[in-house]
Each structure stands twice: as C-alpha cells, then as structure tokens.
Amino acid sequence: MTKTAYNTAELVTVMSARALDDGKIVFGGAGMPLISCILAQKTHAPGLTILFEGGLIGPHIEAGKFPPSTTEQRCARRANMLLSITDILLLQQRGYVDYGFLGGAQIDQYGNLNSSFIGDPDKPKVRLPGTGGANDIASLASKILVAMHHEKKRFVEKVDFITTPGYLQGGDSREKAGLTVGGVYQVITHLGIFGFDKETRRMCIQALHPGVDIEEVKERTGFELIIPDDLPRTEPPSQEEIRILRELDPDKRYTTPKEE
Amino acid sequence: MQEGKKANMSKDNKLMSMSEAIDRYVADGDVLYLGGFIQQEPFAAAHEIIRQGKRDLTVSKCAALILVDQMIGAGVISHLITTFTWNPLPATAHCFVRALTKHAPRKVEIEEYSILALNLAYFAGALDLPYVATKTMLGSGFDWEQSNSGVKNRLKFEESPFTGERVCLVPPIKHDVGIMQVQRSDPYGNAQAWGMLGEVRYGLQSCEKLIICAEEIVDTDIVIRDPNRTLVPAFRVSAVVKEPWGSHPAPMAGYYDMDWPYNAYYEKETRTEELFREFMKKWVYGIRDRKDYLKLLGQDRLEALRPERFESDPVSYGRLTTHFGVPHA
C-alpha cells in the first residue's frame, strides 16, 4: 500500500469524520467540524443528518463552496428545513441530537472548555467571544466531540471559566449539577484520540495517531493524562479519505494547520 | 408615542425616514432589541442611533457582531445582553474587547446567556411569563450557584417541584423597542422575511414598539397572497422605513451577500481607539444617511454583492370555487 501524505489538519478532520456513525444526528459547526460531517456522509455515513445552530436541518453543501459560517445564507439556500433557533436547540433538549461537535480555545482535564474570558469577569485580562450555542450543545447533546490542535497552552489543568461544561470537577459532579445526559465523548487532536475515565472523569488517551510518540503528547499537555499500558494506534487516513477531503476543500481553506 | 401594550392602527401609513423613526421611537436609557441572527442586521438603524447620540442604551442581541461592536465603540451602550460578540470573519471585535478589558471608551456591563437560554428569555418576554425552565447552562460558569465564577446574570437554579431534577430558570427579557431589517413590508408594517430568521420571532414579540426597516415597500396585496411569510403584523409596528441595503455589510437573503472584505477591513481599521474614530468619521458621523453610505461604497461594490435569482417554486394557497358547497356565481 502506498503511503498517503496529509497535514495535521487533514488528519484531525479524517479522525473526526470516523467518529460519526451512520444514521445519527450531528450538530456541526463551521469550518473543520462541517467538513468532517460531509466527509463522513461521503464515506461511511450517507445517512448522517447535519443540524446547524442557525436553525437549519439537512444542508446541501457543494464541494469547494463551504460556507464560512453555518449561520449565513449559503447554508440556507438549499436545505431540508429552516427552524427558529429556539426550536432547533430544543430538539437537543428533547434528546434528538447524538453528536455535538465543538472546537475550543482552552480545555481542561475534565473536558471543560473556556471561550469566555481569562481573569476577573468585571475587567478580564483576556476577553474571548463568549458561548454562543456551545454551552447548550455540551449540556444537551448525547456525545460531545471536541476537535483541537494539541498545544500546551490549550490543554490546561483548570480552565479560568467553564463556558462549556464537560465533566465539571470530575466524578459525578456533572450529574449532580443537573446535567443528566451527555458529556465529552472524544477529544480529537493531531496527536491522538482522548476519552475520559469512567470513575474520575479525568482525560485519558485512547489511541495515538501514526508516527506520534507518547512523550510528545505528554509535553504538549498541561496536566497528567491517564495512559493505559496497551495503547493502540489509529489507522492512518486512507487515500480515498484524503482524495474526497481535497475535493471538498480544494483551497485548503479549512484544512490548513494552524500556526503555533 | 406608543404607551404600554396599546396596539398601533393596522391601516395607518407608517412610512417615515430613518432619522424620524429613531428620533420618535428610541429614547436614551431604552432597552433595545436588535434583530437578525448574523443576517438581516439593522446596520442603517444602528448608524442613525449613533449619529443622534443616544445614550445609556441596553442592547440585547443574540449574535452581537460588528454592529454591536460599533455601538460599543461609539459609547452609546451601557449594558449588553448577548451570547457572543465577534467579527464574523471570525476575528476579534476590538471595541467590545476594549470596553470589557479597559473600560474604554466606557464600561459596559455584560449579561451573558447561551443561545438557548437567551431565546427562552425572549420567549418568556413575548408570552409575558414569569420564567421558563430549561436544562441548559447547569454546572457551568454561568451557574453562579455552583461555580462562584463572579459572572452576573439573572438566571436561577432550582429543583423542579414536579420531578425534583435541578433546572435553570430563565427570566423574561422584554424590550422597549425592537428594530429589524426585513426583505419587504407594506406601508402599514405587515412585514415579511425569509432565510435564517434565528431568534427574531420571539425577539420581536418581546418588544413594546417595533421599527421595521425594509429593502422594499410593497402593496398589501403582495403580503396577503403569502401570509405564511409575514413575521409581524401591522398592529405591532410603530414605524416602517424604506432602507435598501440597510443591512450591509451583513447579508439579506435574496438581496445581497455578506461583504466579507468589509468585515476584514473593519477588523484592521478598528485595532486602536484612534483608528476606530477615523473609521466612524468616514462611515457614520461624516455622512447624513444611508444614501451617502451607499455612495461611499460605490455601485460596483454593491453590484458584486448581488446574488443571482434562485426562486423556490410558487405554492398555491388555492382559490376555492364553492362556498358552503354552493358553486360561486
């Protein structure tokens, strides 16, 4: 078999697509999450239904014309249904959404994400955009997928503010707060795939991507990861996956690795 | 001026200029709802509010993009109710960040909700309910009963009297005035809109007074042939303003695309307070109205934003040929 060349953003996109099962319903965000969803539809999951925060069900998106935002008119031109935002988010509250797909500026060992601020809320040191629908998605979808570039400053022991709830303070704190469903299912980075320990709810590594050394993962993580003795490796992206991906995003607008 | 829940006349011609509408219906200290979820944003109205120097406004907007950023930079907002604030590129909304991190040009109190929580607050406001219960926002930094995060909002967290489960109680948010840019309206305010309407249905219903800005003013006959598309009825509307391109640089489905290069230009030209002042001098303070603004943009630029027509198949509401079983004469 010939080896397929791919960059780290393409790797994360392919691994994210593989996490989405056929016949399920996914809440996709603009950029990489959306491309993963379409890639999944074009490979193993033709029956995947995509929802967007703006109120949209079943967008028909053309290769090479990916919308810069999932809440703009390019998405609404051809779609199965347009709902109000209240209605689409309430579909989640009623349990119809299998996967929520999020990115984040900062994640901690319990899978909590921060996209609000760092420092004092009255006069923060750093001010980020805020939650949007991320808090709703992470509170209400059955399985949360988080896709991020793996950097030490993004993988912190404790986030300054929990914009988006993962397992909160670990253990059963998520359930105790009233969040009886969901939780972070997988964190997918350019180094590997991560999950959470069933008891402590601390982040553990589930699989390493091809060619990645566990030492690099440790170096780039700002807290202690649970590492099992027997650590599997993911299958590298196939030629077919990379071919479809490049057809979808020919200018690599959404599949160019972020600079560090 | 309208008072309380008094309905407006369905048959009053409410057409007026933007400056008259803002002067008559927006007062200092008002709680303002600005409609449009990323598209159909009332930019022309916001610019007129800034030009008229309105003060101490509470602005509530589900998606606060550069329109809100400009109002913050111009110092007209004292309290912001929102779910997120950025330049849709995406990039930083610089005035928003300066106001929060440096209190420049003034301090802005921020009241933040998730999109579902804010939509339910509009819903509660529209239905005049004391609160709505939901299962979002629990446990996070917004759940101040759990987190001591110091974040201020008006949410409460209680056990359900029915099931005992912990729920988030969302208060009603009501507004003095709502402003929305739509595709078309008749002169009375029967306003029609389509595309991604986001939070606007309940947002508009939670307002006492409404200013409708429209790309086109049409005969009532156009409206009544397609009543499913009507967003608000005339009796809820105080003013109707004909304002083509009134949402630029935000998009209007079927009329114009988002002006992405303008968003990038805005990001660059507002990185400092001084740059922002220059930007506003050019695009807001130094001009009289939207006509001047469109001249600044230039016809070529506008034409480039215009989409090709992409029509849905017409639907038929049916013209019945009998009445109580008796054929029409």
Side-chain angles (χ1 to χ4, degrees):
Chain A
M1 215 174 87
T2 51
K3 225 176 148 196
T4 311
Y6 50 82
N7 68 38
T8 54
E10 290 173 325
L11 173 68
V12 174
T13 311
V14 168
M15 293 299 166
S16 303
R18 288 180 187 172
L20 303 167
D21 287 343
D22 196 17
K24 300 286 187 185
I25 299 176
V26 58
F27 222 90
M32 199 283 283
L34 176 57
I35 299 197
S36 299
C37 296
I38 309 270
L39 178 61
Q41 279 182 336
K42 290 194 180 289
T43 51
H44 62 280
L48 184 73
T49 300
I50 302 172
L51 311 185
F52 291 158
E53 193 170 83
L56 196 134
I57 300 179
H60 291 245
I61 290 173
E62 294 166 56
K65 291 184 186 164
F66 270 67
S69 152
T70 54
T71 48
E72 68 116 69
Q73 54 179 336
R74 269 170 192 75
C75 313
R77 193 174 75 92
R78 296 168 78 231
N80 291 342
M81 188 173 188
L82 265 172
L83 287 167
S84 76
I85 305 185
T86 321
D87 288 329
I88 202 136
L89 290 169
L90 288 175
L91 278 175
Q92 290 203 96
Q93 187 164 283
R94 289 169 63 196
Y96 281 111
V97 178
D98 299 296
Y99 304 109
F101 213 139
L102 300 168
Q106 224 186 22
I107 190 166
D108 72 14
Q109 58 180 330
Y110 299 116
N112 304 304
L113 296 159
N114 179 14
S115 57
S116 294
F117 60 85
I118 293 169
D120 171 11
D122 263 349
K123 205 172 181 181
K125 260 192 296 191
V126 178
R127 177 64 220 200
L128 302 160
T131 168
N135 181 288
D136 304 318
I137 295 168
S139 298
L140 303 169
S142 308
K143 290 176 173 174
I144 300 302
L145 299 169
V146 180
M148 306 177 60
H149 199 73
H150 208 127
E151 293 168 72
K152 195 160 194 165
K153 65 173 185 195
R154 291 172 177 269
F155 280 68
V156 300
E157 191 163 347
K158 192 172 187 291
V159 288
D160 274 65
F161 179 81
I162 302 177
T163 310
T164 307
Y167 292 106
L168 301 177
Q169 292 77 42
D172 61 356
S173 57
R174 182 178 166 100
E175 289 78 6
K176 274 195 173 147
L179 297 172
T180 49
V181 296
V184 187
Y185 171 62
Q186 274 184 349
V187 179
I188 299 163
T189 80
H190 73 290
L191 300 182
I193 295 179
F194 303 79
F196 293 84
D197 179 75
K198 285 206 162 43
E199 294 296 315
T200 62
R201 297 300 192 184
R202 278 177 49 216
M203 196 185 288
C204 54
I205 180 160
Q206 291 178 335
L208 275 175
H209 293 325
V212 174
D213 188 336
I214 187 69
E215 288 309 314
E216 188 184 355
V217 177
K218 285 193 211 165
E219 272 164 35
R220 285 171 173 264
T221 305
F223 51 86
E224 203 188 324
L225 274 169
I226 301 174
I227 303 169
D229 297 334
D230 189 20
L231 190 56
R233 282 197 186 268
T234 56
E235 280 292 315
S238 71
Q239 261 177 323
E240 181 68 356
E241 284 167 321
I242 293 297
R243 183 187 67 75
I244 297 171
L245 188 53
R246 289 180 186 166
E247 229 171 67
L248 294 175
D249 188 21
D251 309 326
K252 292 202 176 171
R253 195 180 279 269
Y254 304 101
T255 47
T256 298
K258 284 203 181 97
E259 284 175 53
E260 286 180 37
Chain B
M1 283 277 242
Q2 310 299 320
E3 291 288 328
K5 282 195 176 48
K6 182 170 164 265
N8 297 288
M9 292 301 287
S10 291
K11 276 296 178 190
D12 278 356
N13 184 328
K14 295 164 191 144
L15 276 174
M16 60 185 82
S17 70
M18 185 66 86
S19 66
E20 189 183 353
I22 300 300
D23 183 43
R24 277 174 70 171
Y25 296 108
V26 179
D28 291 348
D30 268 357
V31 181
L32 231 61
Y33 165 73
L34 300 177
F37 190 76
I38 311 200
Q39 37 260 299
Q40 294 164 290
E41 301 204 285
F43 264 92
H47 286 177
E48 186 57 28
I49 288 170
I50 293 169
R51 265 194 298 269
Q52 290 191 17
K54 303 287 180 189
R55 281 193 304 269
D56 296 324
L57 299 173
T58 291
V59 165
S60 142
K61 194 166 193 311
C62 187
L65 309 179
I66 69 180
L67 176 153
V68 166
D69 195 60
Q70 290 176 1
M71 293 177 86
I72 290 173
V76 301
I77 297 181
S78 58
H79 189 105
L80 176 66
I81 302 173
T82 191
T83 74
F84 67 99
T85 311
W86 71 6
N87 179 320
L89 280 176
T92 299
H94 297 297
C95 297
F96 165 74
V97 169
R98 278 193 289 271
L100 269 75
T101 58
K102 298 191 182 111
H103 298 174
R106 59 167 296 168
K107 187 178 177 187
V108 174
E109 296 281 350
I110 183 166
E111 187 177 329
E112 289 183 86
Y113 299 95
S114 70
I115 290 182
L116 179 55
L118 186 58
N119 274 260
L120 291 173
Y122 293 162
F123 175 80
L127 273 66
D128 208 10
L129 294 169
Y131 62 86
V132 171
T134 178
K135 296 195 262 189
T136 191
M137 301 242 86
L138 298 161
S140 64
F142 301 102
D143 182 345
W144 46 272
E145 286 192 1
Q146 281 236 328
S147 68
N148 296 320
S149 60
V151 161
K152 288 171 215 144
N153 58 44
R154 287 181 267 164
L155 301 171
K156 286 192 185 295
F157 300 84
E158 300 279 350
E159 281 182 7
S160 158
F162 298 103
T163 61
E165 66 192 309
R166 194 163 184 272
V167 289
C168 170
L169 305 185
V170 181
I173 293 181
K174 297 182 188 179
H175 309 88
D176 297 308
V177 191
I179 308 178
M180 168 89 186
Q181 176 97 16
V182 299
Q183 277 94 344
R184 65 191 185 197
S185 171
D186 71 10
Y188 315 106
N190 293 302
Q192 298 197 317
W194 54 92
M196 283 193 152
L197 294 175
E199 84 295 345
V200 301
R201 198 168 285 271
Y202 293 127
L204 292 170
Q205 292 303 335
S206 62
C207 303
E208 292 298 339
K209 289 171 271 185
L210 292 176
I211 298 172
I212 293 296
C213 315
E215 295 294 320
E216 294 184 72
I217 303 299
V218 296
D219 285 343
T220 302
D221 188 55
I222 302 275
V223 172
I224 64 180
R225 285 165 61 134
D226 194 4
N228 278 146
R229 234 177 286 286
T230 305
L231 190 62
V232 281
F235 78 82
R236 293 285 281 109
V237 175
S238 299
V240 179
V241 179
K242 182 182 178 183
E243 198 71 288
W245 299 94
S247 286
H248 177 273
M252 174 67 62
Y255 287 72
Y256 41 92
D257 195 359
M258 186 176 274
D259 194 340
W260 291 98
Y262 191 93
N263 292 340
Y265 162 76
Y266 180 77
E267 191 279 320
K268 265 217 299 266
E269 294 301 316
T270 57
R271 285 182 186 171
T272 66
E273 279 189 84
E274 210 174 347
L275 278 170
F276 174 75
R277 277 195 292 273
E278 287 302 310
F279 176 92
M280 293 299 277
K281 208 158 95 189
K282 177 172 180 188
W283 292 98
V284 180
Y285 292 114
I287 58 176
R288 285 163 302 178
D289 55 20
R290 200 62 173 177
K291 283 197 187 76
D292 286 353
Y293 178 94
L294 298 180
K295 261 185 235 148
L296 267 181
L297 275 174
Q299 198 57 31
D300 291 350
R301 181 159 194 156
L302 296 179
E303 287 307 324
L305 294 171
R306 224 191 273 277
E308 289 172 13
R309 277 190 81 79
F310 180 72
E311 292 176 356
S312 55
D313 290 330
V315 298
S316 173
Y317 284 78
R319 192 204 306 267
L320 303 178
T321 56
T322 63
H323 193 62
F324 290 104
V326 181
H328 289 166

